[in-house]
């Protein structure tokens, strides 16, 4: 199964390009296209409503729009449930109050985004290609970086936790052994790594993110960069390429959209400077600005240029 | 009686380590739950993910916040300085 992320500055035509690529790949493969952009327009491109979940457009092409707000809510509800299960007896801390704070935290939405990608990648076995249409650059880089940032954090936390457990162990050893039939008033603290809930949870999370990073950096995953022949788009794309390079995520294809006769020269310049900033060579495609298509608005996904050929790897 | 004296000595031996553990747990909680007390937070979802198991740490965090107006006295007390 191949995974593709379509990224780029807002308005360059990411969604349209993603839709076109999906449409072309669907001639040969089973394709799922998922829109992660909070301002969805995948449904508009294919002229269907995707409000009620996934839809089969043709036999080989499925469409989905992810509702981030709903995902964030579902995630919090799930955690609250674990929380109330563990804390049945503890009312004093007023934890609901803490949760109402978390609801407004910006981190949750990115996490929901990552969770939805993870769920799709792990859960779907019936597709040859999964195409993600991502939100604009800033958010995309942030959530793609999330697994690696998290691993660093978890590493630090695990180190501290380990220290705590070691100290607890020492205390336990120095204190006299219990007399027979004697019980302690205070709660016995866990000092074994395998018994400590927090350590266990940290370890699970660590393994989870390791795996996800491996998938994202692996050979079946790739990023497609969409840009226009103008300066702003060039600068942002350069930053994006840099970001992807830092995260060790492979760049698969460069698509230059909205190319016309007049800006053709510009387009070539933009492409060559982007190629120079990309450390690894990636193929590139030009897509012409098609005024008739843009105005009529029907079959936006059906473009004459062949994007599929470069994406079969 | 000798037995109890032994116990007392053991307790006084571990008391400093106990203090250290408590401080470590406080730091751990602060790093994870910093957003609750106004510190810039790490990835929020990590806090949420671990929240169910953080009861003791949260209590310590609370206690520290309550005692913070008289930090010096607390340190003196903990180190046994009169």
């Amino acid at each position: 199964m191949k995974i593709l992320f379509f990224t780029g500055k807002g308005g360059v035509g990411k969604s349209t390009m993603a839709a076109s690529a999906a449409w072309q790949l669907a001639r040969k493969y089973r394709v799922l296209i998922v829109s992660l952009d909070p301002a969805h327009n995948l449904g508009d491109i294919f002229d269907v409503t995707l409000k009620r979940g996934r839809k089969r457009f043709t036999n080989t092409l499925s469409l989905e729009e992810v509702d981030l707000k709903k995902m964030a809510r579902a995630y919090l509800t799930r955690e609250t449930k674990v929380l109330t299960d563990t804390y049945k007896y503890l009312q004093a801390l007023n934890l609901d109050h803490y949760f109402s704070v978390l609801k407004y935290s910006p981190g949750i939405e990115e996490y929901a985004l990552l969770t939805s990608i993870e769920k799709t990648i792990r859960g779907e076995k019936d597709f040859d290609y999964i195409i993600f249409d991502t939100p604009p650059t800033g958010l995309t880089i942030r959530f793609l970086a999330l697994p690696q940032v998290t691993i660093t954090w978890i590493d630090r936390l695990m180190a501290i936790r380990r220290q705590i457990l070691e100290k607890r162990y020492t205390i336990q050893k120095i204190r006299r052994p219990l007399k027979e039939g004697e019980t302690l008033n205070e709660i016995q603290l866990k000092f074994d790594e395998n018994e400590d809930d927090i350590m266990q949870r940290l370890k699970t999370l660590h393994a989870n993110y390791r795996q996800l990073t491996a998938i994202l950096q692996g050979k079946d995953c790739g990023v497609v960069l969409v840009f226009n022949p103008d300066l702003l788009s060039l600068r942002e794309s350069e930053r994006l390429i840099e970001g992807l390079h830092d995260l060790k995520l492979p760049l698969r294809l460069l698509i230059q959209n909205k190319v016309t006769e007049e800006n053709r020269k510009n387009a070539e310049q933009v492409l060559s400077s982007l190629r120079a900033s990309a450390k690894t060579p990636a193929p590139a495609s030009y897509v012409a600005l098609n005024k008739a298509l843009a105005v009529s608005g029907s079959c936006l996904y059906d473009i004459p240029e062949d994007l599929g050929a470069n994406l079969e790897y | 009686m000798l037995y109890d004296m032994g116990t007392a000595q053991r307790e006084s031996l571990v008391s400093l380590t106990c203090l250290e553990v408590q401080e470590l747990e406080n730091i751990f909680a602060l790093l994870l739950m910093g957003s609750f007390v106004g510190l810039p937070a790490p990835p929020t979802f990590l806090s949420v993910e671990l929240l169910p198991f953080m009861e003791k740490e949260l209590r310590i965090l609370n206690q520290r916040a309550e005692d913070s107006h008289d930090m010096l006295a607390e340190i003196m007390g903990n180190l046994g300085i009169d």
Side-chain angles (χ1 to χ4, degrees), chain A residues 75 79 86-87 89-90 93 102 105 111 150 153 157 160-161 167-168 174-176 198 201 209, chain B residues 7 10-11 14 20-21 25 28 31 42 44-45 48-49 51-57 59 62:
Chain A
Y75 171 70
E79 282 305 317
T86 333
Y87 277 96
Y89 58 97
L90 188 87
L93 274 175
L102 288 172
S105 139
Y111 185 70
T150 313
W153 257 102
L157 289 174
I160 300 178
R161 196 70 202 164
K167 293 250 154 58
R168 280 186 187 169
I174 296 177
R175 275 186 180 156
R176 70 184 166 80
I198 294 184
R201 195 86 189 106
Y209 286 114
Chain B
T7 311
R10 281 165 194 266
E11 277 305 319
V14 291
E20 215 182 323
V21 173
E25 277 169 345
F28 187 77
L31 282 178
T44 317
F45 55 90
V48 187
E49 201 85 51
L51 195 54
F53 311 110
M54 296 283 289
E55 180 194 343
K56 182 163 180 279
E57 282 78 1
R59 279 180 188 228
N62 245 0

Side-chain angles (χ1 to χ4, degrees), chain A residues 95-131:
Chain A
L95 284 153
D96 297 307
H97 165 69
Y98 290 135
F99 268 100
S100 66
V101 176
L102 288 172
K103 214 183 307 175
Y104 303 108
S105 139
I108 290 290
E109 209 156 77
E110 281 153 50
Y111 185 70
L113 206 60
L114 188 67
T115 322
S116 88
I117 293 176
E118 197 187 346
K119 215 173 88 193
T120 316
I121 291 176
R122 285 187 210 275
E124 300 301 342
K125 298 277 175 268
D126 302 337
F127 296 100
D128 302 312
Y129 277 89
I130 297 182
I131 292 178

Side-chain angles (χ1 to χ4, degrees), chain A residues 31-221:
Chain A
V31 182
L32 169 68
I33 176 164
V34 183
S35 166
L36 301 170
D37 198 335
H40 294 296
N41 44 28
L42 191 63
D44 303 336
I45 292 173
F46 286 96
D47 202 19
V48 288
T49 58
L50 298 170
K51 289 268 177 291
R52 280 189 303 268
R54 188 177 295 176
K55 203 164 211 166
R56 275 197 145 200
F57 190 66
T58 64
N59 270 336
T60 52
L61 180 62
S62 299
L63 316 173
E64 187 176 339
E65 283 177 354
V66 170
D67 186 346
L68 284 182
K69 277 214 182 94
K70 214 165 97 190
M71 291 223 44
R73 260 203 311 277
Y75 171 70
L76 280 175
T77 320
R78 208 165 56 237
E79 282 305 317
T80 320
K81 206 190 157 299
V82 183
L83 190 81
T84 38
D85 284 353
T86 333
Y87 277 96
K88 269 186 198 110
Y89 58 97
L90 188 87
Q91 311 275 310
L93 274 175
N94 195 7
L95 284 153
D96 297 307
H97 165 69
Y98 290 135
F99 268 100
S100 66
V101 176
L102 288 172
K103 214 183 307 175
Y104 303 108
S105 139
I108 290 290
E109 209 156 77
E110 281 153 50
Y111 185 70
L113 206 60
L114 188 67
T115 322
S116 88
I117 293 176
E118 197 187 346
K119 215 173 88 193
T120 316
I121 291 176
R122 285 187 210 275
E124 300 301 342
K125 298 277 175 268
D126 302 337
F127 296 100
D128 302 312
Y129 277 89
I130 297 182
I131 292 178
F132 289 104
D133 174 24
T134 63
T137 318
L139 190 57
T140 306
I141 283 290
R142 276 224 302 275
F143 82 72
L144 285 176
L146 209 50
Q148 291 172 48
V149 174
T150 313
I151 285 177
T152 319
W153 257 102
I154 294 178
D155 276 338
R156 308 292 297 181
L157 289 174
M158 272 166 85
I160 300 178
R161 196 70 202 164
R162 207 160 270 145
Q163 234 172 327
I164 293 176
L165 295 178
E166 272 168 22
K167 293 250 154 58
R168 280 186 187 169
Y169 178 73
T170 318
I171 294 171
Q172 206 69 28
K173 281 286 154 197
I174 296 177
R175 275 186 180 156
R176 70 184 166 80
L178 290 180
K179 277 183 247 169
E180 212 161 314
E182 187 187 20
T183 48
L184 281 178
N185 308 339
E186 48 192 303
I187 321 153
Q188 198 68 32
L189 290 175
K190 304 273 195 315
F191 51 80
D192 187 1
E193 265 190 33
N194 295 321
E195 283 176 23
D196 187 54
D197 285 335
I198 294 184
M199 198 63 181
Q200 283 309 305
R201 195 86 189 106
L202 280 174
K203 277 185 176 169
T204 319
L205 287 171
H206 194 267
N208 212 349
Y209 286 114
R210 260 280 128 82
Q211 215 183 342
L212 190 63
T213 315
I215 293 176
L216 287 180
Q217 291 177 346
K219 62 174 176 30
D220 283 342
C221 192

